[in-house]
Amino acid sequence: MKPVERAKHAAVFVAAIFLIWLGGVMPSVWAKVSAGDDPVAVFAAMPAPTLGALLSPWPIYIALAIVQALTFHYVRKFSTPIFLGGVFLAALLFAMRYTALTTA
């Protein structure tokens, strides 16, 4: 693998970690915005993610790296948008499911 490809894979992996975080917070943001709060104020009131909080789900990142390698290997065109879209969708669906379980 060339250094440029390694840099691309690393950048996409970091973007995937961000999308997992974003997908996890979106259900609570949507709930507050649909209740009438200002979206900018909702995002401003959120605490910044810490390094410990981002590293705590490390088993997910191992699975994410495997899925990323398989996606980039088997999907020849548009692999990055397909991968990142799937990561965000999965994180969003999991967060919505767990939010529904905690409110029930």
Side-chain angles (χ1 to χ4, degrees), residues 40-56:
V40 175
V42 171
F43 275 111
M46 287 176 34
T50 62
L51 183 62
L54 288 174
L55 293 178
S56 63

Side-chain angles (χ1 to χ4, degrees), residues 60-83:
I60 294 172
Y61 300 146
I62 294 171
L64 191 65
I66 293 168
V67 170
Q68 180 182 358
L70 290 172
T71 303
F72 281 17
H73 180 74
Y74 288 112
V75 178
R76 296 294 177 206
K77 292 186 179 192
F78 308 114
S79 60
T80 300
I82 290 171
F83 172 71

Side-chain angles (χ1 to χ4, degrees), residues 6-55:
R6 288 181 192 224
K8 177 188 171 189
H9 284 272
V12 169
F13 190 74
V14 170
I17 292 172
F18 172 74
L19 286 175
I20 289 173
W21 171 80
L22 186 64
V25 299
M26 285 312 293
S28 63
V29 169
W30 282 335
K32 292 176 184 177
V33 169
S34 64
D37 292 349
D38 181 34
V40 175
V42 171
F43 275 111
M46 287 176 34
T50 62
L51 183 62
L54 288 174
L55 293 178

